[in-house]
Amino acid sequence: MKKTMIKGFALVAASVLGVTGLSLAPANASAANKTMVVQESNALSGLNTAVNGFNLLTNSDVLGPTGAGFTYYNNKAQLVRNTAFGTFKITKNDCGSTPSFGCFKVTYTVKKGLKYSDGTLITAQDLLLSHAISSSDYSIKAGLGDPSEGTAKFDSAGYGGAYDDHTRAESFDLSDDNFSVTVSYDAFQPDWQVFGPGPGAVHAMVGIAKGKKTFQTARTNATYKSLFEEAYYGSIATLPSQSDPDYEDELGARDDARALMKKIAAKWSTVWNITTVNSSTNPLLLISNGTFRLESCTSTGCTLVKNPNGNIGGAPKQTGNLEKMIFKFTAGTLDDTAVGQAIAAGTVDIYSGAATSSFWSVVNNASGVTAFKGNVLTYEHLDLRTGNSIFPMAPDNIKTIEGSTVNCDADYNGPFAGNSQQAKDLRKAFMLIVPRQTIANNYIGKVFDPAFSGNSPVLNSLFSLTTEGDYAKVTAGSSAYLTDLNKDQTTRVALALALVKKYYPSAAAGSDSFTVKLLTSSRPSRVANAGLMTTEAAKAGIKVEHYIRSTWSSELDCNFFDAAEFAWVKTGLSQTGTNPQYESDGGNNSAGWNDSTLDTLLGEFEKLQTATSLITTKINAEKRLWSNYYSLPMYQWPGASAWNSDLKNILPSPLAPNVTWNYWQIGY
Amino acid sequence: MLAYIGRRISIALLILFGSTYLTYNLAAYSGDPLAGIRESTDPKKEAIMAELSRFYQLDVPPPARYFLWIQKIFGIGTGQIDFGLTAKRLSVLDEISAAIPTTLRLVTVATFLAIILGITFGVLSAIRQYSRLDYTLTFLSFFLFSLPIFWVAVMLKEYLVIQFNTFLEDPTINIVSNLLISAVLAVVITGFVSGTRKRVLITWGATFAILMVVLQIASLISWFRQPSLGIFGVAILGISTSVGLTHVFAGLGNKKALYAGLAATGVGVAFYYPFGQIMNASGNYALFGGLALLMLSMSYFIGYFFTKIDKGPVIRSAMLSAFFVSFFVVVDKFMQAWAPYYTLTDGKPMQTDGAYNLTLETNDFWVLNLDLITHLALPTLALTLISFAGYLRYSRASLLEVLNMDYVRTARAKGMPEREVILRHAFRNSMLPLTTLVAFDIAGIVGGAIITERVFSWRGMGSLANEAIVNQDLNLLMATFAITAFLAVMATLVADLLYSVLDPRIRIRK
């Protein structure tokens, strides 16, 4: 055996020696890197960012650098106007006390001379499509189906919301030179800046509807644009009375227009729903106006390359030297350790997502990697019920909770019901016992460093998140109302006990003077928080019954529960965005808050505001919320990003696209 | 026989119906597909919820919705088989047909490696029961078996990718590291040697010294950056493998077998340069397969014409030799592709995730395939390390049981060589119980490896199932489940049928 083994190794050694004669030239250093590999936490579901579907965030991330419009959000979540594309302004604001259609108008003007990647001129005709996919009134009047019944021919996720409610089919007026469009509303729109239309290459849309599979000539494209404009307006044309001699002709014209719009709608809803892009993909699908263009997509990633024609579509001027962007998709669900290691190994250049200790521990000490602590637009909070939910989820809301049958629609008469002094005091007592600081430390500080011993920021506002520019001013304005809530834990528990004693004189630690039914999901952090609350509440004589429900999100409206801890996920920032949570008839108000004073204060958000007056409005509403003890903000979820340290100008934003929003500045 | 299969299939269909019905309802009741949007403050929330409710048909309770699903699957009423859309509105069928090849690529290699290695080492372990080798293998297999795959994956990534890529920047091994590496590797290798303490110590010393020298030379010539075997390396490795294989399967006393093996090796070495010329950068799989077939058929005829009597062992020896020498030639080609690959990947040849490099810009056959290999290496290694222990223990136990049988004693008593006793009499019979295991594992391949695929970011069946569960994506979940369940049911049937073929004592009766 021994001999054989030695022989064996001798053979191996000799074979290695045998290769010494081979050339030993060192490998060439590679060309300067101008490619950025971005890890996405999901996979692409198609090339349409507005079609109904599950995950459009990845689609928007990938297609972001291929387009440009009137605005974008920066890393401070501020809406920035992109003057390279065009300008917009209010041209009529005369709604007064009796608003009528057309009392509020905004005019959008596309800069002249901008072109799509196929060389076709960008005009205001290209803005029309965005109305067709966002206005239910247009869809119905153009014979394209009723979105609320799910029969709309444009299978768009754009219907619904304030824009849809306050515009009409006829809202878009095209200027004579085709470079401006004026949008008419039937009331003042506080979020008018967010509602801007974006460009959609309508000549490509018509080409695709006509079955074209190659680029068309400039002349044909111009014809297609006019065809789209005619079809767009022709579909909603008012017909003369049947006795009119022109009736038949106009009916025929309208039918033709509608037929084309239907074809376009059918194509719009389906042909972009592809996840594979290669040289055989119809080039009309890939016409874009951004700095970059989509070159290829597979199930594992998409490659974007710089537009060969240069920056001609109205994107901000490129100052970085990036030439290629690759978006890498996650298979299944994201494994954050894997992403961290991929960044450390250099196969991924950048990733941004929710902070987890496993991700942070890998990237924080990796060489050549910049790790960044940020935030996501999600915040944890505790809602206390004051009355009946006005939006029961199901007609007969009978649920089995912990073995007993509960009628969720039965009137709420728990300890927090109504706005009597007692109810307010008991709500305050319950808010006081919540160890907000400990909770914030656990889910912010300790995520990044298990040995963290400082104080992480507690969220002190329901209207501004810590990542918003006005957070400091808003919280300073309402700070007097938070004095008790920000005292140390022992003092707060003592204050809470004193409040409980007012109504339950025998209250003491462990007396279980009244019971709070707390609803949470099974998320470990919430279960742990409920545990902390139970312990602290007991010290003030309050008993917490904790209900962990997998179906919690559909039970927020269940009048059986007194309190619920969950998170609100903000998908964007708008002036009126928080109103549905607190208005008496708000769609997200599931805790039965019914407060006409608050409604009046919230009404201010519906008016034209300057940055300064908006802060005052927020403070006033916040003061009302604090003094009635409806909802307790806890902390804003932390985010984490990490990137190849060679990359310059990376400015992670809490809004999507988190790290590529300023693609034109990024470079090596 | 046919009646038996028919009966089994109808039972299988019932099982499939029951299991899919149960899974569908459990999955549907386990969560709320609208949960994500309920937490959102999106101003268009209501419209989105209404649209999603329509899409998921939430107005139909799950026990009834199952029948809508099954109706579409069988195309009842429409005549069109329809697996539906995923939550992302993509065709379930497209997603699955893209995932199956990925999973097959990932899990097939690992499963077959695990089976081959597990059985080989299991047999060795059984033959040398209670030896140092047996203990080493037992320890290793239990050690690896008890490691969680997600942890192994993280460690492999850290040391075989991140640290290895850093090492490649300056591929020199300093003397202290070399001492350590050689010492540890020598301990592992010596574990396979049995005998007196003196013998073991000598083996360790010799192995240690050789490893030291080899690593030092490799370090000096930057071999890790520019690896290659060269024609001499291929020849030496080929000849030694050929001799070794002949020793195991035919015995060195069988000169015909030895010469046939060496001749086949010689042909392989002779093909070294022509192969490099034919299978250059613009080669393709068809050409590659053709050459492999040519080599194997040539070796078959070499074996066939080398002897007139007892052709079997001679042909086996020639073909195995040809296979391995070709393997070394191919390995050498891949090694030569390493340097350009290193440059193309910007000095980061080893990868932690994904099935291939998205940034690679080349059409070179060897570089592209090397890229696939560097991506496949880690997950395959992780899966193999963890799953081969099972086969090792099963085959060891099974062979030990057979070796104690009377007919093995008889075989030995009549003077049959030990090689024949083990390979011909004991080994074949010992493989019977493993049939079930192998049949199930092969059927399970398509089901994917949820954790491995996730950790290594492979978009296979496991990833799809994971995604479906997380997103409450019933159409996708049910499709992955139905396929996996169907294969599992079929595997039991195939295993039972195989039993009757392999073991004459078992007969299928009506």
Side-chain angles (χ1 to χ4, degrees):
Chain A
M1 190 69 177
K2 184 185 72 185
K3 269 189 180 171
T4 344
M5 298 260 333
I6 293 172
K7 265 187 210 161
F9 285 116
L11 290 182
V12 176
S15 63
V16 173
L17 289 169
V19 299
T20 39
L22 288 163
S23 71
L24 293 176
N28 294 327
S30 67
N33 187 12
K34 285 174 185 170
T35 302
M36 175 165 82
V37 181
V38 186
Q39 176 73 51
E40 286 289 321
S41 51
N42 229 307
L44 188 85
S45 65
L47 306 182
N48 187 335
T49 56
V51 74
N52 264 318
F54 185 75
N55 170 56
L56 300 171
L57 275 183
T58 306
N59 301 1
S60 307
D61 278 1
V62 172
L63 296 166
T66 70
F70 289 104
T71 55
Y72 61 84
Y73 280 105
N74 67 10
N75 58 327
K76 301 207 166 57
Q78 290 156 331
L79 195 69
V80 181
R81 292 182 176 219
N82 173 23
T83 48
F85 183 78
T87 54
F88 61 102
K89 60 177 188 225
I90 297 177
T91 44
K92 190 176 179 190
N93 186 10
D94 187 20
C95 290
S97 53
T98 50
S100 60
F101 181 66
C103 69
F104 181 67
K105 290 184 178 182
V106 183
T107 301
Y108 296 85
T109 306
V110 177
K111 198 170 159 185
K112 286 182 183 160
L114 299 180
K115 283 174 183 166
Y116 284 109
S117 53
D118 68 340
T120 307
L121 200 64
I122 302 176
T123 61
Q125 290 155 309
D126 294 309
L127 304 178
L128 299 175
L129 182 76
S130 63
H131 188 58
I133 59 170
S134 319
S135 165
S136 300
D137 193 42
Y138 181 86
S139 184
I140 295 166
K141 284 189 184 153
L144 297 169
D146 183 353
S148 66
E149 285 169 4
T151 55
K153 294 281 184 284
F154 280 104
D155 187 17
S156 164
Y159 301 115
Y163 176 86
D164 194 359
D165 290 347
H166 296 286
T167 52
R168 291 194 192 161
E170 307 81 11
S171 275
F172 271 45
D173 273 328
L174 207 56
S175 69
D176 291 339
D177 69 352
N178 278 346
F179 279 98
S180 292
V181 79
T182 301
V183 184
S184 301
Y185 297 89
D186 65 6
F188 170 74
Q189 291 306 305
D191 291 317
W192 64 279
Q193 304 207 58
V194 184
F195 292 158
V202 296
H203 65 284
M205 217 78 70
V206 174
I208 290 163
K210 286 182 175 292
K212 304 290 182 212
K213 292 205 165 107
T214 48
F215 288 133
Q216 303 297 302
T217 59
R219 182 189 289 254
T220 313
N221 285 334
T223 318
Y224 283 176
K225 277 198 167 203
S226 310
L227 269 179
F228 182 83
E229 188 190 330
E230 282 162 23
Y232 174 88
Y233 285 110
S235 299
I236 53 169
T238 332
L239 296 179
S241 71
Q242 287 200 23
S243 53
D244 195 300
D246 291 338
Y247 175 79
E248 287 299 324
D249 286 351
E250 294 202 19
L251 180 68
R254 195 183 74 173
D255 286 347
D256 290 350
R258 286 184 172 185
L260 180 57
M261 278 311 273
K262 272 183 193 157
K263 254 190 207 170
I264 290 172
K267 293 289 180 190
W268 183 90
S269 307
T270 51
V271 289
W272 273 275
N273 301 348
I274 50 170
T275 52
T276 306
V277 171
N278 50 39
S279 52
S280 62
T281 306
N282 185 347
L284 297 179
L285 295 174
L286 305 178
I287 291 176
S288 57
N289 70 325
T291 311
F292 287 80
R293 70 180 176 86
L294 195 58
E295 187 186 56
S296 65
C297 280
T298 65
S299 63
T300 49
C302 283
T303 303
L304 268 60
V305 292
K306 249 170 82 171
N307 243 331
N309 301 340
N311 198 0
I312 54 171
K317 189 175 185 300
Q318 196 187 18
T319 51
N321 63 353
L322 218 53
E323 296 206 330
K324 194 185 246 191
M325 290 168 90
I326 291 173
F327 289 87
K328 200 170 175 178
F329 305 139
T330 303
T333 51
L334 186 96
D335 182 276
D336 39 33
T337 311
V339 175
Q341 287 194 308
I343 296 175
T347 53
V348 166
D349 288 315
I350 188 161
Y351 169 74
S352 175
T356 61
S357 46
S358 43
F359 176 71
W360 192 256
S361 61
V362 176
V363 294
N364 193 30
N365 295 314
S367 69
V369 175
T370 306
F372 175 85
K373 293 178 187 176
N375 280 101
V376 292
L377 286 185
T378 302
Y379 69 99
E380 196 76 13
H381 72 291
L382 179 77
D383 282 353
L384 302 183
R385 177 174 301 285
T386 66
N388 295 339
S389 176
I390 54 164
F391 291 113
M393 297 280 176
D396 55 336
N397 222 335
I398 309 292
K399 301 245 154 102
T400 308
I401 295 172
E402 307 257 309
S404 51
T405 308
V406 168
N407 179 6
C408 283
D409 296 341
D411 283 343
Y412 176 67
N413 48 22
F416 301 147
N419 268 341
S420 65
Q421 193 56 45
Q422 176 174 351
K424 279 189 202 170
D425 283 344
L426 294 183
R427 290 204 292 268
K428 180 177 181 184
F430 193 66
M431 283 193 180
L432 283 168
I433 61 93
V434 179
R436 290 203 300 162
Q437 188 61 60
T438 312
I439 291 171
N441 293 349
N442 285 346
Y443 302 109
I444 303 176
K446 289 188 180 173
V447 166
F448 295 110
D449 173 16
F452 177 78
S453 61
N455 276 338
S456 297
V458 166
L459 185 65
N460 278 328
S461 169
L462 290 160
F463 288 95
S464 285
L465 294 182
T466 55
T467 35
E468 288 173 61
D470 58 1
Y471 176 76
K473 285 181 180 163
V474 173
T475 47
S478 59
S479 64
Y481 292 78
L482 286 152
T483 320
D484 283 349
L485 285 170
N486 282 337
K487 285 181 174 152
D488 68 86
Q489 188 65 23
T490 326
T491 317
R492 290 206 317 275
V493 170
L495 285 171
L497 182 59
L499 285 170
V500 177
K501 268 192 169 158
K502 264 170 82 177
Y503 308 98
Y504 301 94
S506 60
S511 67
D512 293 352
S513 298
F514 70 93
T515 305
V516 174
K517 297 191 198 76
L518 173 65
L519 169 72
T520 73
S521 67
S522 56
R523 200 183 173 88
S525 62
R526 291 195 186 129
V527 175
N529 292 349
L532 289 173
M533 284 187 233
T534 309
T535 314
E536 295 298 318
K539 294 179 191 164
I542 306 169
K543 186 185 176 195
V544 174
E545 269 176 20
H546 181 205
Y547 294 86
I548 304 170
R549 305 277 298 165
S550 64
T551 46
W552 67 276
S553 62
S554 60
E555 288 165 8
L556 288 170
D557 64 335
C558 181
N559 299 339
F560 174 76
F561 300 108
D562 302 305
E565 185 202 323
F566 64 104
W568 279 124
V569 182
K570 290 201 177 192
T571 50
L573 295 169
S574 66
Q575 196 169 302
T576 53
T578 36
N579 280 8
Q581 274 137 265
Y582 309 113
E583 280 172 342
S584 300
D585 59 352
N588 288 335
N589 175 356
S590 53
W593 301 319
N594 193 338
D595 186 335
S596 54
T597 316
L598 182 60
D599 287 345
T600 313
L601 292 169
L602 294 173
E604 291 297 309
F605 285 108
E606 308 278 355
K607 295 176 183 165
L608 184 62
Q609 301 271 5
T610 63
T612 324
S613 68
L614 186 61
I615 293 172
T616 317
T617 307
K618 284 184 179 179
I619 293 171
N620 289 339
E622 201 118 78
K623 282 178 180 171
R624 179 70 190 172
L625 274 170
W626 286 124
S627 54
N628 279 321
Y629 304 98
Y630 291 141
S631 182
L632 179 71
M634 293 159 92
Y635 63 93
Q636 187 177 352
W637 287 18
S641 311
W643 58 86
N644 175 350
S645 299
D646 294 338
L647 280 169
K648 292 194 186 87
N649 294 327
I650 299 290
L651 301 167
S653 158
L655 280 167
N658 308 74
V659 284
T660 49
W661 68 269
N662 62 335
Y663 63 85
W664 60 88
Q665 296 172 317
I666 298 172
Y668 282 93
Chain B
M1 180 81 167
L2 279 179
Y4 172 81
I5 295 175
R7 201 173 67 235
R8 283 290 302 267
I9 287 179
S10 34
I11 295 172
L13 285 178
L14 273 178
I15 294 173
L16 279 177
F17 169 75
S19 60
T20 50
Y21 188 74
L22 203 64
T23 314
Y24 191 93
N25 284 287
L26 284 175
Y29 281 117
S30 72
D32 176 7
L34 305 183
I37 190 72
R38 282 189 219 277
E39 281 178 276
S40 162
T41 61
D42 194 314
K44 287 184 292 223
K45 190 171 168 175
E46 280 170 51
I48 297 171
M49 280 171 68
E51 199 279 330
L52 285 175
S53 302
R54 272 195 299 271
F55 176 73
Y56 289 117
Q57 295 177 300
L58 295 184
D59 52 334
V60 185
R65 216 188 309 150
Y66 170 82
F67 292 99
L68 293 179
W69 175 75
I70 209 106
Q71 187 190 352
K72 277 203 264 173
I73 293 286
F74 289 111
I76 301 166
T78 56
Q80 196 85 40
I81 291 173
D82 179 12
F83 279 84
L85 298 177
T86 68
K88 286 179 186 161
R89 316 291 163 100
L90 300 170
S91 153
V92 168
L93 205 60
D94 288 353
E95 291 285 285
I96 291 202
S97 22
I100 288 181
T102 311
T103 285
L104 286 181
R105 185 139 49 98
L106 176 72
V107 192
T108 311
V109 179
T111 306
F112 281 97
L113 262 182
I115 293 173
I116 294 167
L117 288 178
I119 291 176
T120 312
F121 285 116
V123 168
L124 281 178
S125 196
I127 299 170
R128 301 258 181 275
Q129 197 188 5
Y130 303 136
S131 66
R132 192 185 314 271
L133 170 78
D134 186 25
Y135 288 130
T136 309
L137 284 173
T138 305
F139 170 77
L140 265 181
S141 63
F142 277 111
F143 175 72
L144 295 171
F145 192 59
S146 51
L147 297 179
I149 185 121
F150 54 86
W151 184 83
V152 171
V154 169
M155 288 299 121
L156 288 178
K157 285 180 186 186
E158 179 62 31
Y159 295 105
L160 289 189
V161 178
I162 301 174
Q163 303 284 351
F164 186 68
N165 282 346
T166 313
F167 160 75
L168 284 183
E169 284 169 18
D170 176 23
T172 51
I173 308 172
N174 65 40
I175 197 78
V176 182
S177 313
N178 193 351
L179 278 171
L180 268 172
I181 296 168
S182 306
V184 173
L185 278 180
V187 168
V188 175
I189 293 168
T190 315
F192 288 85
V193 181
S194 46
T196 60
R197 179 164 298 173
K198 189 181 161 199
R199 186 174 155 175
V200 167
L201 281 175
I202 291 172
T203 313
W204 183 86
T207 316
F208 172 73
I210 292 168
L211 282 172
M212 274 281 290
V213 173
V214 169
L215 283 175
Q216 207 56 43
I217 292 168
S219 168
L220 276 174
I221 63 169
S222 288
W223 191 82
F224 292 100
R225 187 80 77 75
Q226 306 244 313
S228 163
L229 295 174
I231 191 165
F232 298 112
V234 169
I236 292 162
L237 284 171
I239 291 166
S240 42
T241 315
S242 172
V243 172
L245 287 170
T246 312
H247 175 61
V248 172
F249 289 102
L252 289 177
N254 189 338
K255 293 288 176 221
K256 298 271 185 198
L258 182 65
Y259 296 150
L262 288 175
T265 308
V267 171
V269 174
F271 262 118
Y272 179 83
Y273 286 111
F275 178 76
Q277 289 299 315
I278 301 165
M279 272 306 294
N280 53 21
S282 52
N284 58 50
Y285 292 113
L287 186 60
F288 185 82
L291 287 174
L293 211 65
L294 179 72
M295 187 68 200
L296 283 180
S297 43
M298 263 167 59
S299 62
Y300 176 85
F301 287 112
I302 290 173
Y304 188 85
F305 289 116
F306 244 88
T307 175
K308 285 196 175 68
I309 46 155
D310 196 17
K311 287 181 188 290
V314 181
I315 291 174
R316 258 204 302 278
S317 173
M319 286 185 78
L320 279 169
S321 302
F323 174 80
F324 278 99
V325 75
S326 315
F327 175 74
F328 294 129
V329 170
V330 171
V331 166
D332 181 67
K333 279 299 282 182
F334 277 122
M335 284 181 164
Q336 289 171 29
W338 181 256
Y341 182 65
Y342 182 87
T343 314
L344 280 167
T345 54
D346 209 16
K348 281 150 185 151
M350 290 302 286
Q351 312 272 314
T352 59
D353 63 340
Y356 56 89
N357 196 331
L358 293 167
T359 53
L360 206 62
E361 282 170 355
T362 178
N363 290 316
D364 187 317
F365 175 82
W366 295 100
V367 174
L368 282 175
N369 281 291
L370 183 62
D371 182 55
L372 294 182
I373 292 171
T374 57
H375 282 85
L376 199 57
L378 245 55
T380 302
L381 186 60
L383 276 176
T384 310
L385 281 182
I386 283 163
S387 54
F388 102 110
Y391 290 107
L392 190 147
R393 301 305 296 171
Y394 268 108
S395 57
R396 177 182 181 273
S398 180
L399 185 61
L400 279 177
E401 197 188 331
V402 172
L403 282 176
N404 286 327
M405 294 268 178
D406 286 342
Y407 69 86
V408 172
R409 195 170 301 130
T410 313
R412 280 183 177 145
K414 72 181 177 190
M416 199 170 233
E418 186 67 8
R419 178 182 305 109
E420 297 289 301
V421 172
I422 291 179
L423 287 180
R424 217 166 256 186
H425 293 257
F427 176 70
R428 290 186 182 182
N429 283 315
S430 75
M431 287 303 103
L432 275 175
L434 265 90
T435 316
T436 322
L437 200 66
V438 171
F440 261 109
D441 281 359
I442 289 176
I445 287 177
V446 177
I450 291 192
I451 298 173
T452 316
E453 286 180 13
R454 178 167 182 241
V455 173
F456 289 103
S457 298
W458 280 60
R459 195 166 177 74
M461 289 292 276
S463 289
L464 280 192
N466 177 16
E467 189 177 304
I469 293 166
V470 172
N471 293 345
Q472 282 279 312
D473 194 339
L474 275 186
N475 283 343
L476 188 56
L477 178 68
M478 290 313 296
T480 51
F481 179 79
I483 289 170
T484 320
F486 174 77
L487 288 171
V489 172
M490 284 300 126
T492 52
L493 177 60
V494 170
D496 286 351
L497 294 178
L498 268 180
Y499 259 100
S500 76
V501 175
L502 295 176
D503 190 343
R505 288 169 302 184
I506 300 168
R507 279 284 164 264
I508 285 166
R509 262 181 260 136
K510 275 189 196 168

